[in-house]
Structures are given as C-alpha cells and as structure tokens.
Amino acid sequence: MTFKELGIIEPILKALLDKGYDVPTPIQNQAIPPALRKQDILGLAQTGTGKTAAFVIPIIQHLHRDNNPCKGIRALILTPTRELAIQISDCIHDYAKYTAIRHTVIFGGVKQQAQTDALRRNVDILVATPGRLLDLMKQGYIKLDTIQHFVLDEADRMLDMGFIHDINRILPKLPKEKQTLFFSATMPAAIATLSSSILHHPVRVEVSPTSSVVDTIKQNVYFVEKEGKKNLLIQLLKKQRPQSVLVFSRTKYGADKIARILCKAGIGSQAIHGNKSQNARQTALTDFKSNKISVLIATDIAARGIDIDQLELVINYDIPNVPETYVHRIGRTGRAGNTGMALTFCSQEERPLLHDIQKLIGKTLPMLPLSAS
Ligand code: AMP
C-alpha cells in the first residue's frame, strides 16, 4: 500500500515525501482508512510503530477538506507527557505544512502566558496534557464545544500516571457528535472499560509489539559520517568475507548506488527494490541463496517479501525511521539458534534514530572503533 492508495490527499502526500516516507507502517495501513471514514478507532500500538502519524494525518486531512471551518478548536489530542505532546506537535507541524491548519501545544510545568497567547490566535488542533488543559479551561481560555475529532493517546500511561479523574472531567465538555481515536499500548481491564464507554462501534487496529531481539544476535554500531559509509562497507566485506550478508538501504536510489560502489570494489552484489522487475528480483534472490553472490542490498519493502534464513550478517547502511523496522531487519539473522550479527552505520544526523531504537530494544548498542574494521 502507498499513502496515496490509502486515500491521502496531495498537500499531505507532498509533506510525507519531504520526510522521505514512501510507505505507511502497518498501524498506518490499518488505521488511516477507517479514520478517514470518520469511524472511531481503538488502536493497540506502542510508540515506535508510527502511530502518531496514523491519527495525525487523517485529522489534518479532515480539517483541511472541511470548507466551512468554525472559529473554535476542531481537534483535541490528549497525551500524558510533555515530551509526547511536543512530539505530536512536531508531527502536525511536518504533515500540515502545505495546508492552512494551525495547531498549538499546551502542557504543565511552564508559564502559561505563551500558551494562552497562542490560543488567542485561533487554533484548529490542540495538543494537550490533561492538567494544563483543565487549568486553562477553568480560566476560560479554552472551550471544547467545537471539537470534531478527539484523540486519547497512550491511555494506559494516562491511567498509570493518575490522570483518570482529569480525563473524566474533560470528557463531558466534549460534544457528543465527534470522532474518537483511542490509542493504548496495552489493554488492562480499566482501559477496556474506559474505551467502551467513549467509543462508538470502533474499528480495532492492532500491531504486535516487536521490541525483543533474540540473544543470539550480536549487535554493534559504528559511528561513521555519511561520506565514510562506503569505505567502511567495503573494508568490512573484504575483511570479514561473509557468506551471506543483507545490506539495508533506506531508498531505492541508495540501494543501486551501494551496488555500483561494491561492483567497482570488486565485490559481487545485487540490489532488490520496488523499481526492479519481478524477474530481476527473483534472479538476485536465487543467486544469493545459491551463494553465487554473497551480498544482497535491499530496501525495507523489498526485503519484506523475501524469505532467507540463516543470514550471517545484516548491515544497516542507513538507520530506519521506524524503530521497529530495526528489529524486523536484524531478525533475519541469528535464526534457529544460529548466531548472527547485526552492524549499524550511524551518522551524526542519524543519532536520534539510534536513540529511539535503543529505547525500544532496551539496550545500548556497543560501539566498534572504525580503525578495527
Ligand atoms: P511513533 O510511533 O509515532 O512515535 O513514530 C515512530 C517514528 O517513525 C517517528 O520518528 C516517525 O517520524 C517515523 N515514521 C512514522 N511513519 C513513518 C513512515 N510511514 N515511514 C517512515 N517513518 C515513519
């Protein structure tokens, strides 16, 4: 599926392209179509799955298409922490940049002046933590009677953090007629009760949390600048001479480029990605499986459909945007009790992505010195 096939319209497609996101994540595939139909959603998904875009994009699209915008706030996104609120706000900023949709974010622990100033300038989407929202509502800065879309994000964490009373005070202030998108990483009884009390015939969407990496995979990271990645790859392949290595590239263009560089260095490899014919992909795969070539370069989408067990090494030439993708990528090595190895090339700009991955898998990847490669 592409974002276009999911029904996303031009200004948002353009923004997605700017971010380099060409395929939706599984949760986006499941949630975007019903959300665009204005259905309620019960979403079971963790951070790292692309869930923010799964609710933000449909809301931006609805509001953008609504020719008769009212004055008040049209969408409310409630989230438990300041960090999440800022992340969601950044996400709206990115995806709404080619629309006229205005948004702002409010959270506690800081002075309210800048927030109330922003609210006076009229906003379409408000991202808020519960305490500050109630505070500003009480003071008369915020009215929720024009809300058409309501998101409750990380509901389980809201409950853990003791926000249930705040939520119960906010809910009655929302209009009855609205779309509600409810997201939670887990579904304990209290969350199930809360969700069934506020959702109407919800569509349930779910992605299983993939955060665990098997112990048989040895993982390391090289901190290397973008320009140094080519040489590092050549050195590694020449020195280690692995029988089977899958190199991941974020883009099709990048995959072809790596193949050309390796070819020049005398290392036989082939690239597989969406722009190659089915035949070319099949040949590459057969050559790889029969050990005619030891290096296969793939994009994430192309790699999804291929089944190769017993990979000796996975190289993340580029770091994936979605942390879960890292787990999927490296899960292709170290199968069936064999030991496997995963090496990740991390440039300066990619450090935040590495940080997200480490958070997801719950450990810091040991660094290897460049000279030792
Ligand atoms: P989230 O689960 O919403 O915290 O998102 C995790 C990360 O995935 C964020 O850094 C997003 O920018 C990124 N992301 C979201 N959707 C996509 C996509 N379709 N393709 C690539 N990266 C994405």
Side-chain angles (χ1 to χ4, degrees):
M1 272 288 183
T2 61
F3 282 108
K4 195 169 180 182
E5 284 163 346
L6 291 183
I8 307 295
I9 54 173
E10 198 44 56
I12 304 171
L13 287 177
K14 199 163 166 228
L16 282 161
L17 202 67
D18 287 354
K19 299 263 310 169
Y21 298 168
D22 45 7
V23 276
T25 65
I27 194 73
Q28 292 163 4
N29 267 323
Q30 290 182 49
I32 291 176
L36 287 178
R37 292 192 297 267
K38 286 211 180 140
Q39 287 180 277
D40 280 5
I41 288 183
L42 174 60
L44 270 148
Q46 289 187 319
T47 303
T49 54
K51 73 171 163 71
T52 314
F55 59 75
V56 159
I57 289 174
I59 291 177
I60 295 172
Q61 180 151 327
H62 280 304
L63 300 186
H64 175 72
R65 285 201 146 165
D66 190 355
N67 303 325
N68 187 17
C70 60
K71 267 250 148 74
I73 302 165
R74 294 186 284 160
L76 172 68
I77 301 173
L78 265 191
T79 191
T81 67
R82 166 201 175 121
E83 287 72 27
L84 280 167
I86 294 170
Q87 269 176 40
I88 295 169
S89 168
D90 290 346
C91 191
I92 301 170
H93 173 86
D94 288 344
Y95 300 132
K97 70 179 189 189
Y98 298 114
T99 72
I101 303 299
R102 299 148 305 174
H103 74 284
T104 198
V105 55
I106 59 169
F107 43 78
V110 293
K111 289 206 179 106
Q112 67 174 47
Q113 180 76 38
Q115 298 178 357
T116 54
D117 286 350
L119 285 164
R120 266 195 213 100
R121 289 192 290 272
N122 284 338
V123 294
D124 300 301
I125 309 176
L126 176 65
V127 185
T129 54
R132 178 56 57 102
L133 174 66
L134 276 171
D135 241 16
L136 297 186
M137 280 165 64
K138 258 190 248 152
Q139 296 175 51
Y141 289 107
I142 296 172
K143 278 215 168 76
L144 299 181
D145 53 356
T146 47
I147 297 292
Q148 296 162 14
H149 308 273
F150 169 56
V151 180
L152 194 66
D153 184 35
E154 308 240 338
D156 49 355
R157 257 174 98 189
M158 292 266 198
L159 250 63
D160 289 346
M161 291 173 71
F163 284 135
I164 188 67
H165 298 299
D166 287 350
I167 291 170
N168 283 335
R169 275 154 62 200
I170 294 165
L171 290 175
K173 307 280 188 223
L174 296 164
K176 267 214 158 69
E177 276 290 312
K178 64 181 176 304
Q179 178 185 40
T180 303
L181 310 173
F182 185 107
F183 280 84
S184 189
T186 57
M187 193 47 68
I191 293 293
T193 312
L194 177 66
S195 70
S196 57
S197 71
I198 62 175
L199 294 170
H200 297 284
H201 307 294
V203 175
R204 189 183 164 106
V205 298
E206 181 168 0
V207 289
S208 51
T210 330
S211 61
S212 51
V213 174
V214 292
D215 296 336
T216 47
I217 306 175
K218 194 166 172 284
Q219 305 170 68
N220 287 104
V221 60
Y222 287 99
F223 290 109
V224 54
E225 279 328 304
K226 232 170 151 182
E227 306 73 43
K229 288 189 175 186
K230 300 183 209 98
N231 283 339
L232 177 62
L233 182 66
I234 294 168
Q235 274 178 45
L236 277 171
L237 294 177
K238 285 201 163 160
K239 194 160 170 221
Q240 297 194 4
R241 302 197 159 275
Q243 275 291 306
S244 58
V245 48
L246 187 55
V247 179
F248 279 97
S249 158
R250 203 133 58 103
T251 63
K252 299 170 201 166
Y253 171 79
D256 283 335
K257 202 165 146 196
I258 297 169
R260 279 199 303 274
I261 291 163
L262 291 183
C263 177
K264 265 196 201 147
I267 300 166
S269 72
Q270 292 204 35
I272 54 166
H273 54 66
N275 284 1
K276 300 240 166 177
S277 69
Q278 192 56 40
N279 243 345
R281 282 197 251 176
Q282 205 48 53
T283 311
L285 212 57
T286 314
D287 286 354
F288 186 66
K289 281 186 175 173
S290 61
N291 293 331
K292 248 192 191 165
I293 51 163
S294 57
V295 186
L296 194 63
I297 305 144
T299 55
D300 288 302
I301 329 164
R304 217 173 276 166
I306 60 178
D307 104 86
I308 333 161
D309 281 334
Q310 319 252 354
L311 269 179
E312 201 177 321
L313 174 64
V314 166
I315 295 181
N316 294 304
Y317 192 88
D318 299 313
I319 301 194
N321 283 317
V322 183
E324 277 197 319
T325 305
Y326 173 83
V327 181
H328 288 300
R329 283 183 178 183
I330 74 162
R332 294 175 168 277
T333 180
R335 284 199 184 162
N338 292 315
T339 49
M341 201 162 155
L343 298 173
T344 297
F345 295 1
C346 179
S347 68
Q348 189 67 35
E349 305 90 80
E350 290 173 315
R351 294 222 179 182
L353 299 175
L354 179 68
H355 174 82
D356 289 347
I357 289 168
Q358 297 186 144
K359 208 163 108 194
L360 176 74
I361 63 174
K363 66 179 193 187
T364 306
L365 300 187
M367 179 190 112
L368 289 179
L370 286 175
S371 53
S373 43

